[in-house]
Amino acid sequence: MLATGAAVTTALAQVDREKIYQWINELSSPETRENALLELSKKRESVPDLAPMLWHSCGTIAALLQEIVNIYPSINPPTLTAHQSNRVCNALALLQCVASHPETRSAFLAAHIPLFLYPFLHTVSKTRPFEYLRLTSLGVIGEKRFTFYPTCVNLPLFLNLYFLSAGALVKTDEQEVINFLLTTEIIPLCLRIMESGSELSKTVATFILQKILLDDTGLAYICQTYERFSHVAMILGKMVLQLSKEPSARLLKHVVRCYLRLSDNSRAREALRQCLPDQLKDTTFAQVLKDDTTTKRWLAQLVKNLQEGQVTDPRGIPLPTQ
């Protein structure tokens, strides 16, 4: 009985495998591509070697890039429909699969494929099709993988699916990825989204900035000039002010971690002593963080870092730097 069951399982797996090959072949034809995109995007979590299969099959990556380029005319002026967004996001989901796989990640970067996504991050329309487009594009860079449901109406459920899923590029902590991103405009793009995007877009963009900062090269790059540091600090400060009015524990966690990492740089630490928002020094977020021991610990360490080495008067009041 067990042998029979194993044989049936193997047969079913082979049938599934044959379907995967068929759908990959169908990506090359405009007539069959849409259904193939949908079916493959559903299977990307259950087929471990889907990324190498996609990358090494003839014409597949070109077909996915064609799907992306075909959308460009719909982003300016902003006429993107839900159907268009759904289709291109299925293509992006497959690219996310390629970006996250150790066998294909380096080739993915060497081909500069993330640059094809940057026009989507430049968009500002707040309609749902554009929001999903930005989120999925950010997901390729931040490897926040999720089951994509562009037509879903239960947005809180969508957010939970998004963040409970395994986290393409910056999630790997590889130096190669950070070096590549620093040669692109990803930091100003993330900062713009952090300033004016939806809560979810802000959270993913802040996560990407956080991962860049956690790398020594990334931290040094951002703190290399006053202009870069001040831009980051200004946006983070605006976010703290907004969070004091509309709290989000998830977003606040990433903001605090960015500040804490900036405090590891001596020049940034000195500047933060002057510009760290008061809301992070008082009890503004006590209620939001009451059950989040990690973020509370980060916040306490941030305050401690800024106090260490600071000159005070006899009353303990910090003196201005000379």
Side-chain angles (χ1 to χ4, degrees):
M1 180 67 74
L2 287 175
T4 303
V8 170
T9 301
T10 302
L12 288 173
Q14 186 60 34
V15 171
D16 261 2
R17 199 101 182 142
E18 291 302 322
K19 291 297 291 184
I20 296 295
Y21 293 139
Q22 177 186 330
W23 289 325
I24 290 176
N25 284 331
E26 289 177 353
L27 288 175
S28 298
S29 170
E31 290 74 26
T32 56
R33 186 179 299 161
E34 184 170 7
N35 181 66
L37 287 170
L38 177 61
E39 296 298 335
L40 286 170
S41 66
K42 291 177 182 176
K43 295 288 186 181
R44 71 190 191 280
E45 298 289 348
S46 57
V47 183
D49 56 344
L50 179 59
M53 293 166 69
L54 292 168
W55 186 260
H56 295 294
S57 56
C58 182
T60 297
I61 300 301
L64 297 179
L65 293 178
Q66 186 178 50
E67 287 295 305
I68 291 171
V69 173
N70 285 345
I71 293 299
Y72 288 171
S74 298
I75 62 178
N76 189 22
T79 58
L80 187 70
T81 66
H83 177 262
Q84 288 176 307
S85 180
N86 189 356
R87 177 166 171 161
V88 72
C89 284
N90 284 331
L92 290 171
L94 296 182
L95 287 179
Q96 185 182 60
C97 175
V98 175
S100 65
H101 198 284
E103 289 184 33
T104 52
R105 186 184 304 121
S106 292
F108 181 85
L109 288 174
H112 288 195
I113 289 178
L115 300 184
F116 284 87
L117 281 54
Y118 284 16
F120 300 154
L121 301 182
H122 275 286
T123 61
V124 295
S125 172
K126 296 187 181 298
T127 63
R128 182 158 292 192
F130 276 97
E131 181 62 14
Y132 285 126
L133 181 61
R134 280 190 295 270
L135 283 172
T136 315
S137 300
L138 285 168
V140 176
I141 299 164
E143 203 198 359
K144 287 288 190 178
R145 289 192 289 179
F146 56 94
T147 304
F148 188 70
Y149 297 112
T151 57
C152 75
V153 293
N154 188 344
L155 192 55
L157 174 60
F158 173 81
L159 304 190
N160 288 331
L161 283 169
Y162 192 93
F163 280 97
L164 288 174
S165 299
L169 288 178
V170 298
K171 199 72 179 286
T172 65
D173 294 322
E174 288 190 4
Q175 188 67 51
E176 176 188 24
V177 172
I178 300 299
N179 289 344
F180 170 80
L181 291 176
L182 292 179
T183 67
T184 74
E185 57 180 329
I186 191 60
I187 293 176
L189 283 174
C190 283
L191 291 173
R192 188 166 75 172
I193 293 171
M194 288 162 60
E195 182 176 17
S196 60
S198 67
E199 180 191 331
L200 183 52
S201 291
K202 287 180 178 180
T203 305
V204 182
T206 310
F207 169 79
I208 293 172
L209 178 67
Q210 172 188 317
K211 296 298 287 187
I212 292 173
L213 282 169
L214 288 175
D215 179 86
D216 288 343
T217 305
L219 177 64
Y221 176 87
I222 288 176
C223 297
Q224 185 176 22
T225 68
Y226 175 77
E227 288 74 20
R228 290 176 192 165
F229 167 80
S230 63
H231 191 190
V232 171
M234 178 186 69
I235 298 302
L236 289 174
K238 288 182 177 181
M239 294 176 74
V240 170
L241 182 60
Q242 187 62 34
L243 284 166
S244 67
K245 301 172 184 176
E246 301 174 16
S248 165
R250 182 185 290 132
L251 179 53
L252 180 61
K253 187 185 194 82
H254 292 303
V255 170
V256 170
R257 189 65 186 94
C258 285
Y259 270 121
L260 177 57
R261 179 55 173 159
L262 284 170
S263 73
D264 289 336
N265 179 278
S266 58
R267 294 171 64 192
R269 185 166 57 247
E270 191 63 40
L272 286 175
R273 287 176 179 147
Q274 311 300 322
C275 68
L276 187 73
D278 291 337
Q279 291 87 348
L280 293 179
K281 304 175 196 174
D282 56 29
T283 60
T284 299
F285 297 111
Q287 188 64 26
V288 180
L289 299 177
K290 65 176 183 178
D291 299 319
D292 189 343
T293 55
T294 299
T295 305
K296 285 193 290 187
R297 186 175 71 250
W298 289 344
L299 191 53
Q301 185 63 50
L302 169 62
V303 174
K304 181 181 178 182
N305 287 356
L306 298 187
Q307 290 174 342
E308 287 179 349
Q310 190 171 33
V311 180
T312 63
D313 67 11
R315 298 167 295 171
I317 297 176
L319 294 172
T321 55
Q322 299 298 317

